[in-house]
Amino acid sequence: MAKYRQVHIEFWQDGFVLDLTPEEKYFYLYLMTNSKTSQCGVYELPKRIIETETGYNRETVDKLLQRFIEYGKIIYDDRSKEIMIVNWAKYNFIKSPKVIACIKKELEGIKNRHLVSEFVNNCIALGYHIDGLTIPSWELPEIAQAEEGVEEEDQEYAETIVINESIDVSPVPQEDPFRFYEENGFGVIGSYISEKISTWCADLSDELVVLALKRSTEQGKKTWGYVEAILNDWFDKGFKTASEVEAYQLEFKEKQAQKQNKVTPYRRGAARIEVVPEWMQNKPAEESNEPVNIKDLEDRKRKMEQMFQQINS
């Protein structure tokens, strides 16, 4: 399956990026989108690969890596040839079970366990939680030094950092959009729809994707095209949470009620009709089957004509 890496449009207006040279901007984009990138933002990236893919020589590669290390944007280990994008989790973390399972598998393959520890600490700071992840510490042999008078077997130890499952620092659990899609009659999720859902979860939130699926279900239109039309509308309006959508809908209804209650002079011609998004519309009321009384209508018409004659006289 093809892999894609997202770059937010705010990237170009970021204060840090604005101060970079064109060469540095290109290199920063490369670090976030190259062929070795992973879901967790920690991956093996030999300098030889960087040279091949960017066209830079070794001296330039070393210079640029050092700059971004000093900027605090990456950590690079020359011995394991692994790199960590420090803010990766902040902009790319997706809380779906499938993606988290992928992250856990990737972390198990990282040689430098210090990078894994840094990644998990970042997740905790951001309020994310990966259940049951155990991270053994890792030291390079040349760094570990035996103290005088201490037995070698006493020097070998493995400190373990365990995220206690009983202490959950994650936000309130939310409904899983992938599960909702399959359990509510939209169909079986293939790779295309899975990629679409993951992208929208990153652009908006899991919460809004689930809400859009619910709105589609309520309207009886269980198709991804209809769901995506709702999400596009919310994206254009800048919504990020369900509370923002509900607030907008409440405000819209209040404005509509005010217009209906407002008394306006009679005038001929068609009134301006405001288009209401289908996802906001209530179910249409049932049409009345009662017969129309022609005599009553004529009486009302006659009274209206008399009233206008009195006003204009």
Side-chain angles (χ1 to χ4, degrees):
M1 186 177 71
K3 293 182 179 179
Y4 303 90
R5 299 297 174 216
Q6 301 179 78
V7 178
H8 291 262
I9 59 174
E10 290 85 359
F11 172 86
W12 299 106
Q13 294 298 318
D14 183 84
F16 170 75
V17 175
L18 288 172
D19 290 335
L20 295 178
T21 65
E23 183 181 58
E24 289 172 333
K25 289 177 182 177
Y26 167 66
F27 192 71
Y28 199 23
L29 280 173
Y30 168 75
L31 294 179
M32 294 186 290
T33 60
N34 68 78
S35 63
K36 299 295 182 180
T37 54
S38 64
Q39 192 68 49
C40 66
V42 184
Y43 55 93
E44 184 175 340
L45 184 63
K47 292 180 180 178
R48 177 178 54 82
I49 297 295
I50 301 176
E51 291 177 64
T52 301
E53 293 186 335
T54 63
Y56 289 142
N57 57 35
R58 178 59 60 89
E59 181 182 358
T60 302
V61 169
D62 286 334
K63 176 189 68 176
L64 289 169
L65 284 173
Q66 187 57 40
R67 282 186 191 173
F68 281 91
I69 291 172
E70 293 171 356
Y71 293 152
K73 297 298 182 182
I74 66 170
I75 300 174
Y76 190 85
D77 183 2
D78 280 306
R79 286 159 287 189
S80 67
K81 297 180 175 58
E82 291 171 324
I83 190 171
M84 173 183 176
I85 310 298
V86 175
N87 291 328
W88 184 271
K90 182 177 180 180
Y91 298 105
N92 296 277
F93 196 92
I94 299 174
K95 292 175 283 186
S96 76
K98 291 183 179 180
V99 175
I100 289 179
C102 174
I103 290 174
K104 290 172 70 173
K105 185 176 180 180
E106 289 175 349
L107 293 178
E108 290 172 2
I110 301 299
K111 300 172 187 174
N112 187 330
R113 307 311 290 174
H114 171 69
L115 298 181
V116 180
S117 178
E118 285 291 324
F119 173 82
V120 173
N121 288 336
N122 286 347
C123 288
I124 293 174
L126 293 167
Y128 302 139
H129 181 57
I130 306 178
D131 290 328
L133 183 62
T134 301
I135 311 156
S137 67
W138 181 82
E139 283 186 322
L140 289 172
E142 48 270 26
I143 295 177
Q145 297 177 354
E147 295 181 10
E148 250 182 72
V150 180
E151 294 294 333
E152 183 178 349
E153 62 180 7
D154 293 333
Q155 286 292 321
E156 296 179 0
Y157 67 96
E159 180 186 357
T160 303
I161 304 172
V162 181
I163 298 180
N164 193 336
E165 292 187 26
S166 63
I167 305 175
D168 192 349
V169 296
S170 64
V172 178
Q174 298 177 353
E175 291 181 86
D176 177 22
F178 297 90
R179 183 179 300 173
F180 188 95
Y181 186 97
E182 291 188 329
E183 291 180 354
N184 289 274
F186 284 86
V188 179
I189 294 182
S191 59
Y192 175 77
I193 296 298
S194 179
E195 189 73 34
K196 283 280 190 178
I197 293 176
S198 296
T199 300
W200 276 112
C201 286
D203 287 346
L204 294 176
S205 66
D206 291 19
E207 181 186 30
L208 282 188
V209 174
V210 171
L211 183 59
L213 289 166
K214 288 181 178 179
R215 292 291 167 87
S216 299
T217 302
E218 292 167 0
Q219 294 292 335
K221 299 184 178 181
K222 297 180 181 180
T223 65
W224 177 251
Y226 189 79
V227 174
E228 197 160 36
I230 295 175
L231 293 171
N232 274 311
D233 183 46
W234 292 348
F235 182 83
D236 292 340
K237 288 181 169 64
F239 298 149
K240 292 294 183 182
T241 64
S243 59
E244 292 176 344
V245 174
E246 299 296 341
Y248 171 80
Q249 184 173 356
L250 180 61
E251 181 183 2
F252 185 88
K253 288 182 177 179
E254 289 177 350
K255 288 181 179 179
Q256 291 295 99
Q258 290 173 2
K259 289 180 180 179
Q260 291 175 1
N261 294 331
K262 186 177 180 181
V263 178
T264 56
Y266 173 79
R267 65 176 182 179
R268 299 178 63 183
R272 179 179 178 273
I273 300 175
E274 187 166 355
V275 178
V276 181
E278 190 172 356
W279 56 267
M280 285 182 58
Q281 295 176 6
N282 296 323
K283 292 182 179 179
E286 296 183 0
E287 294 184 1
S288 175
N289 294 322
E290 296 182 4
V292 179
N293 191 318
I294 303 299
K295 186 176 183 303
D296 287 344
L297 289 177
E298 291 177 348
D299 289 342
R300 290 180 187 178
K301 181 179 178 182
R302 190 181 307 109
K303 289 179 181 179
M304 288 292 294
E305 289 175 350
Q306 291 174 356
M307 182 181 69
F308 281 113
Q309 288 175 0
Q310 290 175 0
I311 292 174
N312 296 326
S313 61

